[in-house]
Amino acid sequence: MASQSVSRTPALAGLQGEMIGEFFGTMVLILFGDGCVAVYGLFGKSQGVGIGADTWPIIVFGWGLAVMLGIYVAGAISGAHINPAVTLALAVRGKLPWNKVLPYWLSQVLGAFVAALILYFVYQGALVNALAANHLTIGQIASATTYGGNGFGWVFYTGHRAFVGTFGAFADVFVGSALLVGLIFAIVDVRNQPVQANLNPLIIGFLIVAIGSSFGANTGYAINPARDLGPRLWIAIVSGGASLSADNYYFWIPIVAPLLGGTVGAFIYDFTLGKVIEARMLMKSGTAEVSGEAVREPSPGA
């Protein structure tokens, strides 16, 4: 009897590989994103270094580039959600299987956690120096969690300005997240003047710059739950849990508001502009095609 071989899909070609993509994409996002916040908070004129780093463009352009690079890392592997709000919105709209949501979330939070750990040790000297100027120790890093506070925990996770209340913080993050996801849906929709030549990550990076410029000052535009929760969990270890309990358990806002706001943004796009595109029976535009989950142009002669 002739033996028959059964073809099996390698584990890395399935969900396991997608989780690795989400992990590294999110890790790159936080390394560059929180890295620029560290430069802003620890090396500006307010700390006596005087290199001109404590200006808002450092934050908005730094995060825009961080998102762009994170998407380029994992775009063809997992679609580079690198944000639980994006993952949830895609699942709610039937564009991602529900059984991938929790694995993606786990990978994203873990990637952010590891990135925060790396940055904590890279900037250890600068953190100790900045905290000492405020008569604090490294164990008190979660003190004064409002953005710009003396504890410098906000270098790793988000907080709100002292004059912004709970409703204002929630509304700010909700609107920013709705804009983020709704516009991502518009950008990656190949029927709607698609960005070609694999430029989607660049355009989404500019979207982050726009959101940061318009909605970033109140709360540090906490539009990514993994971006906040992963680093906050690492600082919780360092601070004895203070990062989770501080400011009347503020940490729930950067988790709940983006998840709700992103889902609303997805529904708004799909049931307004998406329906218009559907009614006009528009097809994929130009020579754009979907390869994996990243919009690309076919190579010449393909």
Side-chain angles (χ1 to χ4, degrees), residues 56-171:
W56 192 242
I58 292 290
I59 298 293
V60 295
F61 283 102
W63 274 107
L65 292 170
V67 169
M68 179 194 74
L69 294 171
I71 296 174
Y72 273 125
V73 165
I77 298 173
S78 64
H81 302 179
I82 60 177
N83 184 336
V86 174
T87 299
L88 178 62
L90 289 169
V92 168
R93 296 303 307 128
K95 301 177 182 181
L96 180 77
W98 277 101
N99 65 349
K100 291 187 177 184
V101 172
L102 290 181
Y104 272 42
W105 282 4
L106 175 63
S107 301
Q108 292 155 358
V109 172
L110 186 59
F113 178 89
V114 172
L117 184 154
I118 294 170
L119 288 171
Y120 177 82
F121 288 106
V122 167
Y123 285 105
Q124 181 77 191
L127 285 166
V128 170
N129 175 70
L131 287 163
N134 294 317
H135 309 290
L136 298 172
T137 66
I138 196 70
Q140 296 171 297
I141 190 172
S143 301
T145 55
T146 54
Y147 194 77
N150 293 337
F152 292 96
W154 51 268
V155 166
F156 296 91
Y157 50 84
T158 64
H160 62 94
R161 300 288 184 181
F163 49 80
V164 177
T166 300
F167 176 80
F170 190 96

Side-chain angles (χ1 to χ4, degrees), residues 140-298:
Q140 296 171 297
I141 190 172
S143 301
T145 55
T146 54
Y147 194 77
N150 293 337
F152 292 96
W154 51 268
V155 166
F156 296 91
Y157 50 84
T158 64
H160 62 94
R161 300 288 184 181
F163 49 80
V164 177
T166 300
F167 176 80
F170 190 96
D172 180 77
V173 176
F174 182 95
V175 172
S177 301
L179 286 169
L180 171 69
V181 175
L183 285 167
I184 286 176
F185 272 42
I187 291 167
V188 302
D189 191 336
V190 294
R191 305 166 302 170
N192 187 26
Q193 295 189 0
V195 180
Q196 299 187 32
N198 201 22
L199 287 178
N200 270 342
L202 176 62
I203 302 305
I204 294 173
F206 283 135
L207 169 60
I208 299 300
V209 173
I211 293 173
S213 300
S214 301
F215 295 92
N218 277 335
T219 62
Y221 55 120
I223 53 179
N224 183 337
R227 171 266 178 277
D228 187 275
L229 180 59
R232 193 181 291 271
L233 289 175
W234 166 247
I235 299 301
I237 295 174
V238 175
S239 65
S243 62
L244 296 173
S245 61
D247 198 17
N248 197 27
Y249 296 92
Y250 173 84
F251 80 92
W252 69 271
I253 291 179
I255 296 174
V256 176
L259 292 175
L260 294 178
T263 301
V264 169
F267 271 101
I268 290 174
Y269 178 78
D270 276 350
F271 285 94
T272 57
L273 298 174
K275 289 297 183 182
V276 172
I277 291 172
E278 181 181 330
R280 294 166 73 93
M281 295 184 290
L282 297 179
M283 304 299 291
K284 294 178 181 179
S285 177
T287 57
E289 65 178 15
V290 178
S291 176
E293 295 190 43
V295 179
R296 303 177 172 210
E297 273 187 317

